[in-house]
C-alpha cells in the first residue's frame, strides 16, 4: 500500500529537506496537491544532492496550494484540478503540468486475469449507475465472449471521501455517458447511485482485493503495487487499451496543450489509438508577475531539472513523465508569460 503518502511520511520529508539545506542555499518553497508529493520529495532530495538547492514542499491539498500561491506565501503552488483561464487571470497566476498519473478500473472476478475483461465507457458508467447489476449481463457477455463471467451480482466500490481521483473518474463517465452527466455529474464527491464506499485509494483497493465480484477504481500506482486486476477500456478512437505508462503518455501527446487556455488540459477521453482514457496531469502554479524573481527562477530551474532528469524516479514511483513535446511547450510558456515587476523576462 502507498502509506508513504500519509501525514507522518510527509512531515518527515519536509523536515529532512529543511535540515539538509546547506547554509546559503536557495530555499524553494511549495505547497498543494498530495497526489504528486512523494515524487516531488524524491526529486527534491536528488536535486539537493546535485545542486545544493533545497525544495521544501508541503502536502496540504490543492485548495491550500492555490490559496498560498495566490497571496503569495510560497514560490509555487500545486493543484490536481487545473484552474480555468478566468481563475488564473483573477489570481495573476501561470499554470503548467508537471507529471501525470491516471485512474484504473479494477475488478475481482474469479478466473479473470489482468487485462482480460473489456468494457466501453458507457458500459462502465451503467455498472456504476446500477443499470448493469450482474456479471453475466447479456451486454457484458457479448462484449467478452471468450470469458466465463459468473452468474453473480456486481459489487460496486467507490470512494467514500472527496478526492481528485473521483473528480477525474466522474469527469470521464460524464463524457461517455449522458445518463451519468444528467443524474450524477462531476465532482470530487458525488451522490453515488450504487455500491459501497472505501476511504482513500487504499480503502477501495482493500475491498476489491478481498471481496469477490467487485469493481472499483484506484490510482495507477495502487493498481500496480497491489497487483489488482485491471480491465481494458475502450478509448475515444474505439480501441481497447490497458493502463500503461505508454498509454498515459499517448493521451498526453494527443491533447491540445497549446490550444487550451492555461494549459489546463483534462486528459480524460483524449483522441488517439493508443491513449488511455482515464489519464490525468497534476499542475504547478507560479505568479505571472513575480515579486520575488530569484525565488521564482529557482522554482523554474527545479522543474526544468525534473523534466530533464526525473523520468526514472517517476517510473519507479508509478507516475508518468510528460512527453518532451509538452515540456518544451511549458518552457516556451515560461519565456512568453512570466515577468518581473519591472517587465523583464524570468526565463531563461
Amino acid at each position: 500500500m502507498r502509506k508513504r503518502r500519509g501525514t507522518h511520511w510527509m512531515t518527515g520529508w519536509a523536515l529532512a529537506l529543511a535540515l539538509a539545506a546547506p547554509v546559503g542555499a536557495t530555499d524553494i518553497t511549495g505547497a498543494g496537491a498530495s497526489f504528486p508529493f512523494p515524487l516531488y520529495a524524491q526529486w527534491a532530495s536528488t536535486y539537493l544532492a546535485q545542486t545544493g538547492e533545497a525544495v521544501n514542499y508541503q502536502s496540504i491539498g490543492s485548495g491550500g496550494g492555490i490559496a498560498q500561491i495566490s497571496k503569495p506565501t510560497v514560490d509555487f503552488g500545486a493543484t490536481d484540478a487545473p484552474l480555468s483561464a478566468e481563475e488564473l487571470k483573477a489570481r495573476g497566476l501561470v499554470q503548467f503540468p508537471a507529471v501525470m498519473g491516471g485512474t484504473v478500473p479494477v475488478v475481482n472476478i474469479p478466473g479473470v486475469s489482468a487485462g482480460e475483461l473489456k468494457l466501453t465507457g458507457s458500459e462502465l458508467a451503467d455498472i456504476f449507475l446500477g443499470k448493469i447489476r450482474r456479471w453475466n449481463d447479456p451486454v457484458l457477455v457479448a462484449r467478452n465472449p471468450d470469458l466465463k463471467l459468473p452468474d453473480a451480482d456486481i459489487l460496486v466500490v467507490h470512494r467514500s471521501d472527496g478526492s481528485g481521483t473521483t473528480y477525474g473518474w466522474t469527469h470521464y463517465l460524464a463524457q461517455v455517458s449522458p445518463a451519468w452527466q444528467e443524474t450524477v455529474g462531476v465532482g470530487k464527491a458525488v451522490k453515488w447511485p450504487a455500491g459501497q464506499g472505501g476511504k482513500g485509494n487504499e480503502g477501495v483497493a482493500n475491498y476489491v482485493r478481498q471481496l469477490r465480484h467487485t469493481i472499483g477504481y484506484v490510482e495507477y500506482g495502487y493498481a500496480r503495487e497491489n497487483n489488482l486486476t485491471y480491465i481494458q477500456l475502450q478509448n475515444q478512437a474505439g480501441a481497447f487499451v490497458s493502463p500503461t505508462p505508454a498509454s498515459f503518455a499517448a493521451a498526453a501527446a494527443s491533447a491540445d496543450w497549446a490550444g487550451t487556455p492555461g494549459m489546463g488540459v483534462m486528459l480524460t477521453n483524449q483522441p488517439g489509438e493508443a491513449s488511455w482514457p482515464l489519464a490525468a496531469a497534476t499542475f504547478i502554479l507560479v505568479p505571472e508577475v513575480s515579486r520575488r524573481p530569484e525565488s521564482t527562477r529557482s522554482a523554474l530551474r527545479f522543474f526544468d531539472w525534473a523534466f530533464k532528469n526525473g523520468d526514472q524516479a517517476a517510473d519507479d514511483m508509478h507516475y508518468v513523465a510528460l512527453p518532451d513535446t509538452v515540456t518544451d511547450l511549458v518552457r516556451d510558456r515560461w519565456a512568453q508569460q512570466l515577468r518581473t515587476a519591472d517587465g523583464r523576462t524570468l526565463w531563461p
Side-chain angles (χ1 to χ4, degrees), residues 128-161:
F128 276 76
L129 284 168
K131 292 184 175 181
I132 296 178
R133 297 176 179 270
R134 297 186 66 79
W135 282 116
N136 64 342
D137 185 285
V139 171
L140 303 186
V141 172
R143 178 68 58 199
N144 298 274
D146 297 330
L147 294 183
K148 185 176 177 57
L149 294 174
D151 181 10
D153 289 336
I154 299 173
L155 176 57
V156 170
V157 184
H158 53 73
R159 290 283 289 269
S160 61
D161 55 326

PDB file of all heavy atoms in Angstrom, residues 128-161:
ATOM      1  N   PHE A 128     -21.718   1.525 -12.748  1.00  0.00           N
ATOM      2  CA  PHE A 128     -21.676   2.406 -11.585  1.00  0.00           C
ATOM      3  C   PHE A 128     -22.991   3.139 -11.363  1.00  0.00           C
ATOM      4  O   PHE A 128     -23.232   3.657 -10.268  1.00  0.00           O
ATOM      5  CB  PHE A 128     -20.501   3.370 -11.706  1.00  0.00           C
ATOM      6  CG  PHE A 128     -19.202   2.784 -11.221  1.00  0.00           C
ATOM      7  CD1 PHE A 128     -18.506   1.869 -11.999  1.00  0.00           C
ATOM      8  CD2 PHE A 128     -18.685   3.111  -9.983  1.00  0.00           C
ATOM      9  CE1 PHE A 128     -17.332   1.295 -11.549  1.00  0.00           C
ATOM     10  CE2 PHE A 128     -17.515   2.552  -9.518  1.00  0.00           C
ATOM     11  CZ  PHE A 128     -16.834   1.630 -10.299  1.00  0.00           C
ATOM     12  N   LEU A 129     -23.858   3.180 -12.386  1.00  0.00           N
ATOM     13  CA  LEU A 129     -25.208   3.708 -12.211  1.00  0.00           C
ATOM     14  C   LEU A 129     -26.163   2.670 -11.632  1.00  0.00           C
ATOM     15  O   LEU A 129     -27.291   2.998 -11.254  1.00  0.00           O
ATOM     16  CB  LEU A 129     -25.761   4.192 -13.560  1.00  0.00           C
ATOM     17  CG  LEU A 129     -25.225   5.517 -14.090  1.00  0.00           C
ATOM     18  CD1 LEU A 129     -25.627   5.711 -15.550  1.00  0.00           C
ATOM     19  CD2 LEU A 129     -25.718   6.689 -13.238  1.00  0.00           C
ATOM     20  N   GLY A 130     -25.728   1.428 -11.586  1.00  0.00           N
ATOM     21  CA  GLY A 130     -26.598   0.352 -11.114  1.00  0.00           C
ATOM     22  C   GLY A 130     -27.538  -0.178 -12.173  1.00  0.00           C
ATOM     23  O   GLY A 130     -28.463  -0.942 -11.869  1.00  0.00           O
ATOM     24  N   LYS A 131     -27.298   0.168 -13.438  1.00  0.00           N
ATOM     25  CA  LYS A 131     -28.139  -0.333 -14.529  1.00  0.00           C
ATOM     26  C   LYS A 131     -27.723  -1.738 -14.951  1.00  0.00           C
ATOM     27  O   LYS A 131     -28.573  -2.560 -15.307  1.00  0.00           O
ATOM     28  CB  LYS A 131     -28.078   0.618 -15.717  1.00  0.00           C
ATOM     29  CG  LYS A 131     -28.720   1.981 -15.468  1.00  0.00           C
ATOM     30  CD  LYS A 131     -28.693   2.824 -16.731  1.00  0.00           C
ATOM     31  CE  LYS A 131     -29.431   4.135 -16.542  1.00  0.00           C
ATOM     32  NZ  LYS A 131     -29.438   4.954 -17.779  1.00  0.00           N
ATOM     33  N   ILE A 132     -26.429  -1.987 -14.981  1.00  0.00           N
ATOM     34  CA  ILE A 132     -25.917  -3.333 -15.206  1.00  0.00           C
ATOM     35  C   ILE A 132     -25.538  -3.884 -13.840  1.00  0.00           C
ATOM     36  O   ILE A 132     -24.619  -3.396 -13.186  1.00  0.00           O
ATOM     37  CB  ILE A 132     -24.697  -3.335 -16.150  1.00  0.00           C
ATOM     38  CG1 ILE A 132     -25.108  -2.838 -17.546  1.00  0.00           C
ATOM     39  CG2 ILE A 132     -24.089  -4.723 -16.238  1.00  0.00           C
ATOM     40  CD1 ILE A 132     -23.956  -2.756 -18.528  1.00  0.00           C
ATOM     41  N   ARG A 133     -26.274  -4.921 -13.376  1.00  0.00           N
ATOM     42  CA  ARG A 133     -26.165  -5.364 -11.990  1.00  0.00           C
ATOM     43  C   ARG A 133     -25.476  -6.716 -11.806  1.00  0.00           C
ATOM     44  O   ARG A 133     -25.081  -7.057 -10.695  1.00  0.00           O
ATOM     45  CB  ARG A 133     -27.565  -5.444 -11.367  1.00  0.00           C
ATOM     46  CG  ARG A 133     -28.277  -4.107 -11.300  1.00  0.00           C
ATOM     47  CD  ARG A 133     -29.697  -4.262 -10.777  1.00  0.00           C
ATOM     48  NE  ARG A 133     -30.369  -2.984 -10.703  1.00  0.00           N
ATOM     49  CZ  ARG A 133     -30.367  -2.183  -9.637  1.00  0.00           C
ATOM     50  NH1 ARG A 133     -29.708  -2.565  -8.554  1.00  0.00           N
ATOM     51  NH2 ARG A 133     -30.997  -1.028  -9.649  1.00  0.00           N
ATOM     52  N   ARG A 134     -25.365  -7.513 -12.905  1.00  0.00           N
ATOM     53  CA  ARG A 134     -24.795  -8.851 -12.772  1.00  0.00           C
ATOM     54  C   ARG A 134     -23.685  -9.038 -13.804  1.00  0.00           C
ATOM     55  O   ARG A 134     -23.733  -8.496 -14.908  1.00  0.00           O
ATOM     56  CB  ARG A 134     -25.872  -9.924 -12.941  1.00  0.00           C
ATOM     57  CG  ARG A 134     -26.949  -9.842 -11.860  1.00  0.00           C
ATOM     58  CD  ARG A 134     -27.923 -10.997 -11.945  1.00  0.00           C
ATOM     59  NE  ARG A 134     -27.320 -12.308 -11.646  1.00  0.00           N
ATOM     60  CZ  ARG A 134     -27.082 -12.741 -10.406  1.00  0.00           C
ATOM     61  NH1 ARG A 134     -27.376 -11.987  -9.349  1.00  0.00           N
ATOM     62  NH2 ARG A 134     -26.557 -13.938 -10.219  1.00  0.00           N
ATOM     63  N   TRP A 135     -22.676  -9.848 -13.395  1.00  0.00           N
ATOM     64  CA  TRP A 135     -21.535 -10.035 -14.277  1.00  0.00           C
ATOM     65  C   TRP A 135     -21.900 -10.791 -15.550  1.00  0.00           C
ATOM     66  O   TRP A 135     -21.242 -10.613 -16.579  1.00  0.00           O
ATOM     67  CB  TRP A 135     -20.406 -10.759 -13.542  1.00  0.00           C
ATOM     68  CG  TRP A 135     -19.654  -9.845 -12.623  1.00  0.00           C
ATOM     69  CD1 TRP A 135     -19.574  -9.913 -11.270  1.00  0.00           C
ATOM     70  CD2 TRP A 135     -18.870  -8.706 -13.016  1.00  0.00           C
ATOM     71  NE1 TRP A 135     -18.797  -8.883 -10.779  1.00  0.00           N
ATOM     72  CE2 TRP A 135     -18.348  -8.132 -11.826  1.00  0.00           C
ATOM     73  CE3 TRP A 135     -18.562  -8.112 -14.230  1.00  0.00           C
ATOM     74  CZ2 TRP A 135     -17.537  -7.002 -11.834  1.00  0.00           C
ATOM     75  CZ3 TRP A 135     -17.754  -6.987 -14.248  1.00  0.00           C
ATOM     76  CH2 TRP A 135     -17.252  -6.443 -13.067  1.00  0.00           C
ATOM     77  N   ASN A 136     -22.934 -11.598 -15.517  1.00  0.00           N
ATOM     78  CA  ASN A 136     -23.328 -12.313 -16.738  1.00  0.00           C
ATOM     79  C   ASN A 136     -24.453 -11.587 -17.477  1.00  0.00           C
ATOM     80  O   ASN A 136     -25.202 -12.201 -18.232  1.00  0.00           O
ATOM     81  CB  ASN A 136     -23.730 -13.755 -16.431  1.00  0.00           C
ATOM     82  CG  ASN A 136     -24.967 -13.844 -15.551  1.00  0.00           C
ATOM     83  OD1 ASN A 136     -25.355 -12.885 -14.890  1.00  0.00           O
ATOM     84  ND2 ASN A 136     -25.606 -15.026 -15.550  1.00  0.00           N
ATOM     85  N   ASP A 137     -24.552 -10.287 -17.258  1.00  0.00           N
ATOM     86  CA  ASP A 137     -25.491  -9.483 -18.044  1.00  0.00           C
ATOM     87  C   ASP A 137     -25.191  -9.693 -19.527  1.00  0.00           C
ATOM     88  O   ASP A 137     -24.020  -9.758 -19.940  1.00  0.00           O
ATOM     89  CB  ASP A 137     -25.319  -8.002 -17.680  1.00  0.00           C
ATOM     90  CG  ASP A 137     -26.340  -7.109 -18.363  1.00  0.00           C
ATOM     91  OD1 ASP A 137     -26.189  -6.875 -19.584  1.00  0.00           O
ATOM     92  OD2 ASP A 137     -27.280  -6.651 -17.698  1.00  0.00           O
ATOM     93  N   PRO A 138     -26.228  -9.810 -20.366  1.00  0.00           N
ATOM     94  CA  PRO A 138     -26.007 -10.064 -21.798  1.00  0.00           C
ATOM     95  C   PRO A 138     -25.076  -9.054 -22.463  1.00  0.00           C
ATOM     96  O   PRO A 138     -24.326  -9.413 -23.382  1.00  0.00           O
ATOM     97  CB  PRO A 138     -27.414  -9.994 -22.377  1.00  0.00           C
ATOM     98  CG  PRO A 138     -28.312 -10.383 -21.253  1.00  0.00           C
ATOM     99  CD  PRO A 138     -27.659  -9.840 -20.022  1.00  0.00           C
ATOM    100  N   VAL A 139     -25.094  -7.811 -22.016  1.00  0.00           N
ATOM    101  CA  VAL A 139     -24.216  -6.797 -22.609  1.00  0.00           C
ATOM    102  C   VAL A 139     -22.756  -7.141 -22.349  1.00  0.00           C
ATOM    103  O   VAL A 139     -21.907  -7.060 -23.254  1.00  0.00           O
ATOM    104  CB  VAL A 139     -24.551  -5.399 -22.046  1.00  0.00           C
ATOM    105  CG1 VAL A 139     -23.509  -4.377 -22.497  1.00  0.00           C
ATOM    106  CG2 VAL A 139     -25.945  -4.960 -22.491  1.00  0.00           C
ATOM    107  N   LEU A 140     -22.438  -7.542 -21.119  1.00  0.00           N
ATOM    108  CA  LEU A 140     -21.056  -7.865 -20.781  1.00  0.00           C
ATOM    109  C   LEU A 140     -20.613  -9.176 -21.418  1.00  0.00           C
ATOM    110  O   LEU A 140     -19.447  -9.308 -21.838  1.00  0.00           O
ATOM    111  CB  LEU A 140     -20.896  -7.944 -19.263  1.00  0.00           C
ATOM    112  CG  LEU A 140     -21.290  -6.696 -18.466  1.00  0.00           C
ATOM    113  CD1 LEU A 140     -20.932  -6.881 -16.996  1.00  0.00           C
ATOM    114  CD2 LEU A 140     -20.648  -5.444 -19.040  1.00  0.00           C
ATOM    115  N   VAL A 141     -21.520 -10.150 -21.488  1.00  0.00           N
ATOM    116  CA  VAL A 141     -21.206 -11.432 -22.134  1.00  0.00           C
ATOM    117  C   VAL A 141     -20.918 -11.227 -23.605  1.00  0.00           C
ATOM    118  O   VAL A 141     -19.962 -11.797 -24.168  1.00  0.00           O
ATOM    119  CB  VAL A 141     -22.349 -12.441 -21.922  1.00  0.00           C
ATOM    120  CG1 VAL A 141     -22.117 -13.694 -22.756  1.00  0.00           C
ATOM    121  CG2 VAL A 141     -22.472 -12.799 -20.443  1.00  0.00           C
ATOM    122  N   ALA A 142     -21.718 -10.388 -24.260  1.00  0.00           N
ATOM    123  CA  ALA A 142     -21.500 -10.119 -25.687  1.00  0.00           C
ATOM    124  C   ALA A 142     -20.177  -9.398 -25.915  1.00  0.00           C
ATOM    125  O   ALA A 142     -19.503  -9.627 -26.929  1.00  0.00           O
ATOM    126  CB  ALA A 142     -22.655  -9.297 -26.245  1.00  0.00           C
ATOM    127  N   ARG A 143     -19.799  -8.534 -24.984  1.00  0.00           N
ATOM    128  CA  ARG A 143     -18.542  -7.806 -25.114  1.00  0.00           C
ATOM    129  C   ARG A 143     -17.346  -8.723 -24.876  1.00  0.00           C
ATOM    130  O   ARG A 143     -16.256  -8.496 -25.420  1.00  0.00           O
ATOM    131  CB  ARG A 143     -18.511  -6.658 -24.081  1.00  0.00           C
ATOM    132  CG  ARG A 143     -17.238  -5.837 -24.056  1.00  0.00           C
ATOM    133  CD  ARG A 143     -17.057  -5.014 -25.293  1.00  0.00           C
ATOM    134  NE  ARG A 143     -18.192  -4.109 -25.484  1.00  0.00           N
ATOM    135  CZ  ARG A 143     -18.506  -3.532 -26.629  1.00  0.00           C
ATOM    136  NH1 ARG A 143     -17.771  -3.765 -27.701  1.00  0.00           N
ATOM    137  NH2 ARG A 143     -19.559  -2.730 -26.719  1.00  0.00           N
ATOM    138  N   ASN A 144     -17.543  -9.767 -24.057  1.00  0.00           N
ATOM    139  CA  ASN A 144     -16.436 -10.638 -23.655  1.00  0.00           C
ATOM    140  C   ASN A 144     -16.793 -12.104 -23.906  1.00  0.00           C
ATOM    141  O   ASN A 144     -16.903 -12.908 -22.965  1.00  0.00           O
ATOM    142  CB  ASN A 144     -16.132 -10.417 -22.165  1.00  0.00           C
ATOM    143  CG  ASN A 144     -15.696  -9.004 -21.849  1.00  0.00           C
ATOM    144  OD1 ASN A 144     -14.526  -8.666 -21.946  1.00  0.00           O
ATOM    145  ND2 ASN A 144     -16.656  -8.160 -21.452  1.00  0.00           N
ATOM    146  N   PRO A 145     -16.958 -12.502 -25.173  1.00  0.00           N
ATOM    147  CA  PRO A 145     -17.428 -13.859 -25.477  1.00  0.00           C
ATOM    148  C   PRO A 145     -16.461 -14.957 -25.061  1.00  0.00           C
ATOM    149  O   PRO A 145     -16.879 -16.110 -24.885  1.00  0.00           O
ATOM    150  CB  PRO A 145     -17.605 -13.825 -26.999  1.00  0.00           C
ATOM    151  CG  PRO A 145     -16.690 -12.736 -27.472  1.00  0.00           C
ATOM    152  CD  PRO A 145     -16.724 -11.703 -26.395  1.00  0.00           C
ATOM    153  N   ASP A 146     -15.194 -14.635 -24.889  1.00  0.00           N
ATOM    154  CA  ASP A 146     -14.206 -15.656 -24.534  1.00  0.00           C
ATOM    155  C   ASP A 146     -14.034 -15.830 -23.027  1.00  0.00           C
ATOM    156  O   ASP A 146     -13.271 -16.697 -22.592  1.00  0.00           O
ATOM    157  CB  ASP A 146     -12.845 -15.305 -25.153  1.00  0.00           C
ATOM    158  CG  ASP A 146     -12.882 -15.304 -26.673  1.00  0.00           C
ATOM    159  OD1 ASP A 146     -13.680 -16.076 -27.230  1.00  0.00           O
ATOM    160  OD2 ASP A 146     -12.131 -14.520 -27.281  1.00  0.00           O
ATOM    161  N   LEU A 147     -14.736 -15.026 -22.233  1.00  0.00           N
ATOM    162  CA  LEU A 147     -14.624 -15.131 -20.779  1.00  0.00           C
ATOM    163  C   LEU A 147     -15.842 -15.845 -20.202  1.00  0.00           C
ATOM    164  O   LEU A 147     -16.957 -15.705 -20.702  1.00  0.00           O
ATOM    165  CB  LEU A 147     -14.519 -13.732 -20.144  1.00  0.00           C
ATOM    166  CG  LEU A 147     -13.269 -12.913 -20.446  1.00  0.00           C
ATOM    167  CD1 LEU A 147     -13.310 -11.595 -19.683  1.00  0.00           C
ATOM    168  CD2 LEU A 147     -11.997 -13.681 -20.100  1.00  0.00           C
ATOM    169  N   LYS A 148     -15.612 -16.590 -19.135  1.00  0.00           N
ATOM    170  CA  LYS A 148     -16.713 -17.226 -18.404  1.00  0.00           C
ATOM    171  C   LYS A 148     -17.074 -16.308 -17.239  1.00  0.00           C
ATOM    172  O   LYS A 148     -16.536 -16.419 -16.132  1.00  0.00           O
ATOM    173  CB  LYS A 148     -16.304 -18.605 -17.904  1.00  0.00           C
ATOM    174  CG  LYS A 148     -17.442 -19.380 -17.239  1.00  0.00           C
ATOM    175  CD  LYS A 148     -17.008 -20.778 -16.860  1.00  0.00           C
ATOM    176  CE  LYS A 148     -18.099 -21.542 -16.131  1.00  0.00           C
ATOM    177  NZ  LYS A 148     -19.354 -21.644 -16.913  1.00  0.00           N
ATOM    178  N   LEU A 149     -17.989 -15.376 -17.501  1.00  0.00           N
ATOM    179  CA  LEU A 149     -18.386 -14.420 -16.475  1.00  0.00           C
ATOM    180  C   LEU A 149     -19.393 -15.058 -15.531  1.00  0.00           C
ATOM    181  O   LEU A 149     -20.316 -15.743 -15.967  1.00  0.00           O
ATOM    182  CB  LEU A 149     -18.981 -13.169 -17.126  1.00  0.00           C
ATOM    183  CG  LEU A 149     -17.983 -12.347 -17.954  1.00  0.00           C
ATOM    184  CD1 LEU A 149     -18.691 -11.212 -18.682  1.00  0.00           C
ATOM    185  CD2 LEU A 149     -16.864 -11.796 -17.076  1.00  0.00           C
ATOM    186  N   PRO A 150     -19.234 -14.836 -14.227  1.00  0.00           N
ATOM    187  CA  PRO A 150     -20.064 -15.557 -13.249  1.00  0.00           C
ATOM    188  C   PRO A 150     -21.496 -15.034 -13.175  1.00  0.00           C
ATOM    189  O   PRO A 150     -21.762 -13.850 -13.461  1.00  0.00           O
ATOM    190  CB  PRO A 150     -19.329 -15.306 -11.932  1.00  0.00           C
ATOM    191  CG  PRO A 150     -18.632 -14.005 -12.132  1.00  0.00           C
ATOM    192  CD  PRO A 150     -18.222 -13.988 -13.573  1.00  0.00           C
ATOM    193  N   ASP A 151     -22.374 -15.910 -12.772  1.00  0.00           N
ATOM    194  CA  ASP A 151     -23.764 -15.538 -12.505  1.00  0.00           C
ATOM    195  C   ASP A 151     -23.814 -14.984 -11.084  1.00  0.00           C
ATOM    196  O   ASP A 151     -24.181 -15.673 -10.132  1.00  0.00           O
ATOM    197  CB  ASP A 151     -24.666 -16.766 -12.658  1.00  0.00           C
ATOM    198  CG  ASP A 151     -26.129 -16.449 -12.430  1.00  0.00           C
ATOM    199  OD1 ASP A 151     -26.474 -15.252 -12.346  1.00  0.00           O
ATOM    200  OD2 ASP A 151     -26.931 -17.401 -12.321  1.00  0.00           O
ATOM    201  N   ALA A 152     -23.392 -13.727 -10.943  1.00  0.00           N
ATOM    202  CA  ALA A 152     -23.241 -13.136  -9.617  1.00  0.00           C
ATOM    203  C   ALA A 152     -23.490 -11.637  -9.703  1.00  0.00           C
ATOM    204  O   ALA A 152     -23.244 -10.997 -10.728  1.00  0.00           O
ATOM    205  CB  ALA A 152     -21.833 -13.394  -9.071  1.00  0.00           C
ATOM    206  N   ASP A 153     -23.980 -11.082  -8.591  1.00  0.00           N
ATOM    207  CA  ASP A 153     -24.183  -9.638  -8.512  1.00  0.00           C
ATOM    208  C   ASP A 153     -22.849  -8.906  -8.594  1.00  0.00           C
ATOM    209  O   ASP A 153     -21.833  -9.384  -8.069  1.00  0.00           O
ATOM    210  CB  ASP A 153     -24.869  -9.264  -7.198  1.00  0.00           C
ATOM    211  CG  ASP A 153     -26.329  -9.682  -7.147  1.00  0.00           C
ATOM    212  OD1 ASP A 153     -26.940  -9.839  -8.229  1.00  0.00           O
ATOM    213  OD2 ASP A 153     -26.856  -9.853  -6.028  1.00  0.00           O
ATOM    214  N   ILE A 154     -22.861  -7.759  -9.230  1.00  0.00           N
ATOM    215  CA  ILE A 154     -21.684  -6.891  -9.279  1.00  0.00           C
ATOM    216  C   ILE A 154     -21.683  -6.027  -8.018  1.00  0.00           C
ATOM    217  O   ILE A 154     -22.668  -5.341  -7.716  1.00  0.00           O
ATOM    218  CB  ILE A 154     -21.708  -5.986 -10.520  1.00  0.00           C
ATOM    219  CG1 ILE A 154     -21.692  -6.824 -11.796  1.00  0.00           C
ATOM    220  CG2 ILE A 154     -20.524  -5.019 -10.495  1.00  0.00           C
ATOM    221  CD1 ILE A 154     -21.886  -6.003 -13.067  1.00  0.00           C
ATOM    222  N   LEU A 155     -20.591  -6.074  -7.275  1.00  0.00           N
ATOM    223  CA  LEU A 155     -20.429  -5.213  -6.106  1.00  0.00           C
ATOM    224  C   LEU A 155     -19.563  -4.015  -6.500  1.00  0.00           C
ATOM    225  O   LEU A 155     -18.371  -4.153  -6.758  1.00  0.00           O
ATOM    226  CB  LEU A 155     -19.777  -5.984  -4.958  1.00  0.00           C
ATOM    227  CG  LEU A 155     -19.457  -5.170  -3.691  1.00  0.00           C
ATOM    228  CD1 LEU A 155     -20.710  -4.503  -3.138  1.00  0.00           C
ATOM    229  CD2 LEU A 155     -18.796  -6.043  -2.640  1.00  0.00           C
ATOM    230  N   VAL A 156     -20.196  -2.850  -6.585  1.00  0.00           N
ATOM    231  CA  VAL A 156     -19.504  -1.615  -6.961  1.00  0.00           C
ATOM    232  C   VAL A 156     -18.846  -1.008  -5.722  1.00  0.00           C
ATOM    233  O   VAL A 156     -19.473  -0.897  -4.661  1.00  0.00           O
ATOM    234  CB  VAL A 156     -20.504  -0.619  -7.579  1.00  0.00           C
ATOM    235  CG1 VAL A 156     -19.851   0.754  -7.758  1.00  0.00           C
ATOM    236  CG2 VAL A 156     -21.023  -1.140  -8.914  1.00  0.00           C
ATOM    237  N   VAL A 157     -17.584  -0.621  -5.862  1.00  0.00           N
ATOM    238  CA  VAL A 157     -16.858   0.047  -4.778  1.00  0.00           C
ATOM    239  C   VAL A 157     -16.390   1.409  -5.286  1.00  0.00           C
ATOM    240  O   VAL A 157     -15.757   1.507  -6.338  1.00  0.00           O
ATOM    241  CB  VAL A 157     -15.646  -0.780  -4.320  1.00  0.00           C
ATOM    242  CG1 VAL A 157     -14.975  -0.100  -3.129  1.00  0.00           C
ATOM    243  CG2 VAL A 157     -16.056  -2.200  -3.960  1.00  0.00           C
ATOM    244  N   HIS A 158     -16.713   2.449  -4.536  1.00  0.00           N
ATOM    245  CA  HIS A 158     -16.324   3.802  -4.913  1.00  0.00           C
ATOM    246  C   HIS A 158     -15.682   4.487  -3.720  1.00  0.00           C
ATOM    247  O   HIS A 158     -15.639   3.945  -2.609  1.00  0.00           O
ATOM    248  CB  HIS A 158     -17.543   4.600  -5.398  1.00  0.00           C
ATOM    249  CG  HIS A 158     -18.688   4.592  -4.423  1.00  0.00           C
ATOM    250  ND1 HIS A 158     -18.677   5.310  -3.231  1.00  0.00           N
ATOM    251  CD2 HIS A 158     -19.876   3.934  -4.447  1.00  0.00           C
ATOM    252  CE1 HIS A 158     -19.795   5.107  -2.580  1.00  0.00           C
ATOM    253  NE2 HIS A 158     -20.549   4.273  -3.285  1.00  0.00           N
ATOM    254  N   ARG A 159     -15.166   5.670  -3.912  1.00  0.00           N
ATOM    255  CA  ARG A 159     -14.576   6.427  -2.814  1.00  0.00           C
ATOM    256  C   ARG A 159     -15.668   6.974  -1.901  1.00  0.00           C
ATOM    257  O   ARG A 159     -16.687   7.481  -2.368  1.00  0.00           O
ATOM    258  CB  ARG A 159     -13.721   7.567  -3.357  1.00  0.00           C
ATOM    259  CG  ARG A 159     -12.441   7.123  -4.043  1.00  0.00           C
ATOM    260  CD  ARG A 159     -11.381   6.717  -3.050  1.00  0.00           C
ATOM    261  NE  ARG A 159     -10.846   7.858  -2.328  1.00  0.00           N
ATOM    262  CZ  ARG A 159      -9.781   8.546  -2.733  1.00  0.00           C
ATOM    263  NH1 ARG A 159      -9.135   8.197  -3.833  1.00  0.00           N
ATOM    264  NH2 ARG A 159      -9.347   9.574  -2.039  1.00  0.00           N
ATOM    265  N   SER A 160     -15.442   6.906  -0.606  1.00  0.00           N
ATOM    266  CA  SER A 160     -16.370   7.489   0.355  1.00  0.00           C
ATOM    267  C   SER A 160     -15.988   8.917   0.714  1.00  0.00           C
ATOM    268  O   SER A 160     -16.796   9.660   1.278  1.00  0.00           O
ATOM    269  CB  SER A 160     -16.420   6.640   1.626  1.00  0.00           C
ATOM    270  OG  SER A 160     -15.132   6.579   2.235  1.00  0.00           O
ATOM    271  N   ASP A 161     -14.747   9.299   0.395  1.00  0.00           N
ATOM    272  CA  ASP A 161     -14.247  10.642   0.684  1.00  0.00           C
ATOM    273  C   ASP A 161     -14.119  11.432  -0.605  1.00  0.00           C
ATOM    274  O   ASP A 161     -14.087  10.880  -1.706  1.00  0.00           O
ATOM    275  CB  ASP A 161     -12.883  10.550   1.376  1.00  0.00           C
ATOM    276  CG  ASP A 161     -11.879   9.738   0.555  1.00  0.00           C
ATOM    277  OD1 ASP A 161     -12.297   8.772  -0.127  1.00  0.00           O
ATOM    278  OD2 ASP A 161     -10.679  10.055   0.584  1.00  0.00           O
TER     279      ASP A 161
END
